[in-house]
Amino acid sequence: MTVHNNWSDDNAEKIVDYYLAKGISKDLALRTYSAQLLGSDPELVLHGGGNTSVKSSCNDIVGNNINVLHVKGSGWDLGTIEPEGHPAVKLEPLLELRNLESLTDEDMVSSQRQNLLNPNSPNPSVETLLHAFIPKKFIDHTHSLAILALANQPDAINLCKKIFGTKVAIVPYVMPGFELAKVAAKEYEKAQNNCKLKGEEIEGMVLINHGLFSFGDTAKSSYENMIKLVNLAEKNLKRKIN
Ligand code: ZN
């Protein structure tokens, strides 16, 4: 089934105006809009699944401007998410964690919580570090059925390389958590360096037996990359089955 691009510049503008009036930044307003678009399409996101982020900056309580990662908090559904569903976590301390050899899930969750700007926010997604380590402004992540079906084929890595080409990084299966975030960041950097040599821009990342990430400098380009990559997977699945 083809996944439709439901982005509307008019609607995006209206949502930005609506949230700006409530003191919400443009970055977070657009993040909210495209997360809702992804979450409203059951082909892309099953209820409660998927997670999204945007890197931005905001003022802390004493007025210092700091870099933050707004990342989906647990308990929110993308289809109905509101700005507070992407709590702000200080970005620099998250990036420092990458220097560690290992990190238990408990320590990962508590360091993510410690760096929340608002301590009353829900727990940031278990995939927060992956979002943090990839230096793209907007990141969308789904466990779309088409990608799962493709990534579950034998020799999935080579199959995915053939289908998606060089603008998509391919990550072998690793359990979600710190280790996955490190492996994915390394694969991202390899693919991104290859893209740069060719004057191209990386569009996304397939995680074998797990799902798909798309990237963009804008909410719109990240969303459109997601739609494009899922449709590419759908097309190749059909070809394989017929
Ligand atoms: Zn995931």
Side-chain angles (χ1 to χ4, degrees):
M1 209 190 294
T2 309
V3 177
H4 294 286
N5 179 350
N6 292 320
W7 182 278
S8 147
D9 285 333
D10 276 358
N11 288 348
E13 218 172 286
K14 275 183 210 147
I15 283 172
V16 167
D17 288 344
Y18 171 78
Y19 282 125
L20 274 179
K22 293 173 175 267
I24 304 293
S25 72
K26 187 177 174 187
D27 281 346
L28 186 53
L30 289 169
R31 176 65 288 169
T32 306
Y33 172 56
S34 68
Q36 288 176 356
L37 289 184
L38 291 173
S40 308
D41 190 335
E43 279 292 307
L44 286 173
V45 174
L46 296 172
H47 184 76
N51 48 64
T52 42
S53 68
V54 61
K55 295 179 186 70
S56 188
S57 65
C58 59
N59 289 335
D60 67 10
I61 201 147
V62 287
N64 295 321
N65 193 255
I66 47 172
N67 293 326
V68 294
L69 174 75
H70 287 283
V71 63
K72 189 192 161 253
S74 64
W76 283 89
D77 187 86
L78 286 185
T80 53
I81 200 160
E82 290 292 329
E84 58 268 37
H86 284 104
V89 193
K90 290 177 200 156
L91 185 57
E92 311 308 333
L94 294 183
L95 295 179
E96 272 178 47
L97 294 174
R98 199 175 162 190
N99 300 323
L100 295 174
E101 272 304 309
S102 62
L103 181 68
T104 64
D105 285 349
E106 291 76 14
D107 285 346
M108 185 178 78
V109 169
S110 63
S111 50
Q112 288 170 186
R113 270 213 78 77
Q114 280 159 15
N115 288 297
L116 281 167
L117 254 65
N118 175 354
N120 298 321
S121 300
N123 272 344
S125 156
V126 290
E127 290 172 309
T128 293
L129 291 185
L130 208 164
H131 286 263
F133 293 170
I134 289 179
K136 283 289 189 185
K137 187 163 178 77
F138 284 87
I139 299 183
D140 295 6
H141 172 42
T142 69
H143 307 120
S144 102
L145 297 175
I147 290 285
L148 283 179
L150 258 194
N152 288 339
Q153 307 276 342
D155 201 20
I157 292 190
N158 282 324
L159 181 67
C160 288
K161 277 186 183 158
K162 225 161 64 196
I163 293 171
F164 296 104
T166 52
K167 290 191 222 167
V168 174
I170 312 288
V171 183
Y173 182 75
V174 177
M175 277 249 295
F178 181 64
E179 184 62 23
L180 174 61
K182 284 201 14 162
V183 171
K186 226 166 93 191
E187 291 299 330
Y188 165 86
E189 282 157 7
K190 250 197 278 173
Q192 170 70 341
N193 287 341
N194 283 337
C195 280
K196 276 215 170 124
L197 289 175
K198 294 188 197 161
E200 294 174 344
E201 197 47 52
I202 193 163
E203 294 175 343
M205 187 164 77
V206 173
L207 273 60
I208 301 295
N209 294 337
H210 178 156
L212 177 68
F213 280 79
S214 65
F215 315 125
D217 295 330
T218 62
K220 184 179 181 178
S221 63
S222 186
Y223 172 76
E224 288 183 341
N225 281 336
M226 176 61 71
I227 302 297
K228 179 175 130 182
L229 296 174
V230 171
N231 281 331
L232 205 54
E234 293 271 4
K235 210 170 90 192
N236 282 279
L237 260 186
K238 262 180 233 147
R239 215 174 279 157
K240 264 191 91 65
I241 293 161
N242 289 341

